[in-house]
Amino acid sequence: MGKKSFRFLWIGQTMANAGDILFIVGLISTIYLLSGSALLMALLPFFNMTARFISALLAPFLLDRMLLQRLLAFSQMGKTAVLFALAIFSGIYLTEELIWALFIFVVVIAFLDGWASPARNALIPRLVEKEELVKANSFIGVADQLVQLGMWPLGAIFAAWLGAQEVVWLTVGLYICSSFLMVLLMKSREIKKAEIELNQSKFEGFKEGWVAIVKSPFLFVISVSELIESNANVVWIAAIMFVYVAEVLQAGEEWWGYINSSFFAGLLLGGILGLRYSMRIEEKTRFLIIVGALFTAAITVVFALIESPLTALVLSALFGFCSQLKGVAQQTLVQKRVAERLLPKVYSAQEAAYFSMFGLSTLGFGYLTEIYGPRFIFLLAGGLLFASAVLLVVFRRHLTDAGSGSESSQVVSS
């Protein structure tokens, strides 16, 4: 983990992630000042998610033709150029009549960013030694959660203090720094070379990640479990949590912020413990995945039944803690079991499925919340998480760190 290439990756991607949040905060503030429309503000995450889904779906075409580090560099430089154009446009030409043009910039930036996550996660095994994977994943998890925990409130402060336009320019600065580090990563000679294999056709390359998931019992169980969990975790979005706080806890609006913060604090603590006890986690990977799934399901059900805001804070932190440890263990197992050549395509396929289902679940859960209320929705989410946990328990024999054997070779050769 002391390699320069790994530092280039995590520092550059942390800057990019911080810029992504500031960018959205700046645009929300701009849209509010120009139109005051809640609908237009709500369309930002919708367009963002849609563009990321399309990008993840098409990513295999690029992954077959570019090195991961080069793809990351070009993606970040493209985002920087588009955001620079947006900053110029919003400072000179933007009016209420032209507000629709902002969504074009949002779509292009989100589309370029859709390649970054699978490329970053697939690069990690090439930058660190196998025995350091848990530590590396935990470290990046901590960095991600610190950004999520700190940048939303900081972004709001910057927007109020500096103004929306200045926040966008601040994001341009972060993007430029990130691009510079991605270029250094691209030129690094410390990156392990992955196995190179030519595809028979463009379609073969496109479907490789999906075929690997379907053919490998290990990947299929993991992917179906993650898909179920992504549907269930929709209950933690702001719209549903806001209703939960008001109707179930009967607390003030500020408690939504407290619960959200405790959730990220739990994620952060899980990442820190992952760093501290990386060897233990590596030895107990299957145990942590199954127990984490069971605990998150139980916590979600209890969350539906309580009425105490303080208890909700504790449960929210516990949920974040358990899901983070489970996530680190699960990601490490995938990185060890899947061939490096296939890994970015598997991640792209998983993210495409996640983005599509998350968007549909957001609409469905929002509709059900209006009809049946937030308690029912959390019980439903708990049921889905228990179904995911049962799936992992039933097929637990596949959740092993197999270095050889028929199943492992299927993941490699698919």
Side-chain angles (χ1 to χ4, degrees):
M1 281 180 59
K3 291 181 178 179
K4 286 183 179 179
S5 54
F6 183 72
R7 290 199 294 271
F8 293 153
L9 179 70
W10 81 260
I11 295 173
Q13 287 299 293
T14 299
M15 286 183 167
N17 292 339
D20 291 341
I21 294 175
L22 284 181
F23 161 60
I24 294 297
V25 170
L27 284 194
I28 288 174
S29 181
T30 299
I31 291 172
Y32 179 77
L33 290 172
L34 284 175
S35 68
S37 170
L39 174 61
L40 288 176
M41 288 188 285
L43 284 175
L44 273 178
F46 171 78
F47 280 110
N48 195 343
M49 189 73 73
T50 302
R52 285 171 180 269
F53 162 69
I54 296 171
S55 179
L57 203 60
L58 299 178
F61 292 114
L62 291 170
L63 294 169
D64 272 339
R65 290 156 180 79
M66 295 179 70
L67 295 172
L68 294 180
Q69 58 270 31
R70 185 172 295 175
L71 187 60
L72 271 177
F74 285 1
S75 168
Q76 191 57 46
M77 287 189 291
K79 286 171 58 182
T80 304
V82 174
L83 187 64
F84 184 80
L86 169 60
I88 297 294
F89 170 80
S90 59
I92 299 175
Y93 303 107
L94 184 60
T95 62
E96 187 174 353
E97 290 73 25
L98 291 175
I99 203 169
W100 56 269
L102 292 179
F103 294 98
I104 297 176
F105 288 104
V106 169
V107 166
V108 175
I109 290 174
F111 182 80
L112 291 170
D113 195 42
W115 312 326
S117 180
R120 182 193 76 167
N121 291 334
L123 256 179
I124 294 173
R126 304 184 195 181
L127 301 181
V128 301
E129 299 304 322
K130 195 172 184 179
E131 59 272 15
E132 291 187 315
L133 269 177
V134 171
K135 189 177 290 187
N137 286 321
S138 298
F139 185 83
I140 286 186
V142 169
D144 287 346
Q145 301 317 321
L146 282 173
V147 168
Q148 289 289 331
L149 195 61
M151 290 313 299
W152 286 106
L154 273 178
I157 293 170
F158 288 151
W161 179 38
L162 300 172
Q165 180 67 19
E166 285 70 19
V167 168
V168 174
W169 280 111
L170 181 59
T171 306
V172 171
L174 285 171
Y175 275 10
I176 290 172
C177 293
S178 177
S179 297
F180 175 71
L181 289 168
M182 292 303 98
V183 170
L184 292 179
L185 175 65
M186 182 175 65
K187 294 181 177 180
S188 174
R189 297 184 179 180
E190 296 178 339
I191 303 174
K192 303 172 194 171
K193 291 184 179 180
E195 172 191 358
I196 297 174
E197 185 176 309
L198 295 176
N199 294 309
Q200 296 177 352
S201 68
K202 292 180 180 179
F203 183 69
E204 287 294 322
F206 170 76
K207 70 178 186 178
E208 269 190 310
W210 299 97
V211 170
I213 290 172
V214 172
K215 283 190 173 182
S216 163
F218 160 69
L219 276 179
F220 188 76
V221 170
I222 288 290
S223 299
V224 172
S225 169
E226 283 188 345
L227 199 58
I228 295 172
E229 290 171 8
S230 71
N231 285 325
N233 290 337
V234 166
V235 295
W236 298 95
I237 65 172
I240 294 176
M241 281 301 300
F242 191 85
V243 177
Y244 172 85
V245 168
E247 296 185 8
V248 176
L249 300 183
Q250 296 184 354
E253 293 180 12
E254 67 276 8
W255 278 93
W256 170 80
Y258 299 155
I259 291 173
N260 196 44
S261 297
S262 69
F263 171 74
F264 280 111
L267 288 173
L268 184 60
L269 180 60
I272 292 172
L273 286 181
L275 275 172
R276 177 67 178 82
Y277 300 104
S278 58
M279 296 301 294
R280 285 285 187 89
I281 290 175
E282 195 161 4
E283 293 169 0
K284 302 288 184 181
T285 302
R286 180 169 63 178
F287 174 80
L288 283 172
I289 291 173
I290 293 173
V291 170
L294 290 169
F295 267 79
T296 53
I299 291 167
T300 304
V301 170
V302 176
F303 206 83
L305 303 176
I306 62 168
E307 296 180 355
S308 166
L310 288 175
T311 305
L313 282 182
V314 175
L315 290 174
S316 179
L318 281 174
F319 185 93
F321 175 78
C322 293
S323 62
Q324 179 75 333
L325 282 181
K326 175 183 178 292
V328 168
Q330 197 161 284
Q331 174 142 304
T332 301
L333 195 59
V334 170
Q335 289 169 343
K336 286 185 174 182
R337 289 288 303 275
V338 181
E340 290 178 351
R341 184 187 64 80
L342 275 177
L343 193 54
K345 295 178 183 179
V346 168
Y347 278 134
S348 296
Q350 288 177 333
E351 289 206 357
Y354 165 76
F355 286 135
S356 61
M357 291 305 297
F358 188 86
L360 292 173
S361 298
T362 299
L363 296 175
F365 272 50
Y367 176 72
L368 291 174
T369 301
E370 285 192 4
I371 298 176
Y372 300 108
R375 281 192 192 276
F376 171 82
I377 291 301
F378 271 93
L379 288 172
L380 176 61
L384 287 172
L385 290 173
F386 269 119
S388 173
V390 169
L391 179 71
L392 293 171
V393 171
V394 171
F395 296 100
R396 62 188 179 277
R397 66 188 180 88
H398 298 302
L399 305 178
T400 56
D401 182 11
S404 60
S406 60
E407 186 183 335
S408 180
S409 64
Q410 283 182 348
V411 182
V412 172
S413 62
S414 297

